[in-house]
Amino acid sequence: MSQAFDAAEASRRGVEMRRARANFKKALRLGQHRLVEVYDSAENPDTDPVIRGLRVEWFLRSIPGFGVTKTREVLERVGVSPTATLGGLRVRQRAALRIEVQNLYRRYLPHLRGVLVVLAGPSGVGKGTIVSWITSQYPEFVLSVSATTRPQRPGEREGEHYFFVSPHQFQSLIENGELLEWAIVHHEHHYGTPRAPVEALLDEGKNVILEIDVQGAKQVKRAMKRSVSVFVAPPSFEVLAERLEARGTENEAERTRRLGTAERELRRQREFDAVVINETVEEAGQSIVDLVLASQRAQATKE
Ligand code: 5GP
């Protein structure tokens, strides 16, 4: 008697599980879940059995445009059986397949990733304040932390304002291809954007802001198709000089050097996707957010 009851219960659960799995696969196909996040979550024994029990083959085939043959090729390359489940992968297989999943996600589902926002403009124009406004109002926007050989200023924190590195360390970052872009700014110090954290944040769907100089902006534009570049301009050159002086973080020689760079940078604003004049922080910040969201919508309908 109790046997019969259990069988019925098990069958009901089986039906439920299959239905849940079908729904989940559909949601994956529709891009309602981020592939890499789902993949990573499957490692955790507490994750929903619907995810952990999903066959790796089905998981890969949920990527629009990724068919049976390509799926088999990937699985063969990493030595994973098509019938393996997401929750049942061995450590090495999991690590090897993760790289493939990440690459597929970036290649086939770029519209689910965040947008890279390049913000350039002369020193003292107020980029930092605008970025703080944007990230406090819109949590889906984050600022990338650059590496620099410039000495740390009082009040600056390692890993928050910059990663302060030696010229030797900076050189290794360049040589190992770990920088998305880099430049010598104000003819003096090296500054560069670490690539891996930016890519990881974009994978999470964050819009990543790079506050960099025009040389770096140009490199990013070439390397990253899905980016929006914005030049933040002052209302006038005089206003810029006044703001730089009022900020009081540089001595006169440094200010003169920065204004020299500013003059050269202002001449290059046409190389950007958009120019935003910083009259007020809120207006400038909102304009940048609107530009990014519009570009994201345009991409989503195109891809
Ligand atoms: P500061 O020394 O005042 O912190 O920064 C000087 C300038 O360096 C900034 O205005 C910004 O344009 C530029 N900068 C900061 N980080 C980067 C970076 O990662 N790459 C490039 N190319 N420029 C940067």
PDB file of all heavy atoms in Angstrom, residues 198 216 299:
ATOM      1  N   VAL A 198      37.296  43.869 -15.606  1.00  0.00           N
ATOM      2  CA  VAL A 198      36.306  44.544 -16.459  1.00  0.00           C
ATOM      3  C   VAL A 198      35.439  43.508 -17.167  1.00  0.00           C
ATOM      4  O   VAL A 198      34.208  43.588 -17.161  1.00  0.00           O
ATOM      5  CB  VAL A 198      37.010  45.462 -17.498  1.00  0.00           C
ATOM      6  CG1 VAL A 198      36.034  45.946 -18.557  1.00  0.00           C
ATOM      7  CG2 VAL A 198      37.680  46.635 -16.808  1.00  0.00           C
ATOM      8  N   GLY A 216      43.904  56.259 -24.303  1.00  0.00           N
ATOM      9  CA  GLY A 216      43.336  54.982 -23.869  1.00  0.00           C
ATOM     10  C   GLY A 216      41.962  54.772 -24.487  1.00  0.00           C
ATOM     11  O   GLY A 216      41.620  53.656 -24.904  1.00  0.00           O
ATOM     12  N   GLN A 299      21.411  47.699 -29.254  1.00  0.00           N
ATOM     13  CA  GLN A 299      22.179  46.451 -29.437  1.00  0.00           C
ATOM     14  C   GLN A 299      21.263  45.247 -29.294  1.00  0.00           C
ATOM     15  O   GLN A 299      21.365  44.287 -30.050  1.00  0.00           O
ATOM     16  CB  GLN A 299      23.282  46.348 -28.389  1.00  0.00           C
ATOM     17  CG  GLN A 299      24.429  47.286 -28.596  1.00  0.00           C
ATOM     18  CD  GLN A 299      25.329  46.848 -29.731  1.00  0.00           C
ATOM     19  OE1 GLN A 299      25.255  45.719 -30.182  1.00  0.00           O
ATOM     20  NE2 GLN A 299      26.148  47.762 -30.210  1.00  0.00           N
TER      21      GLN A 299
END
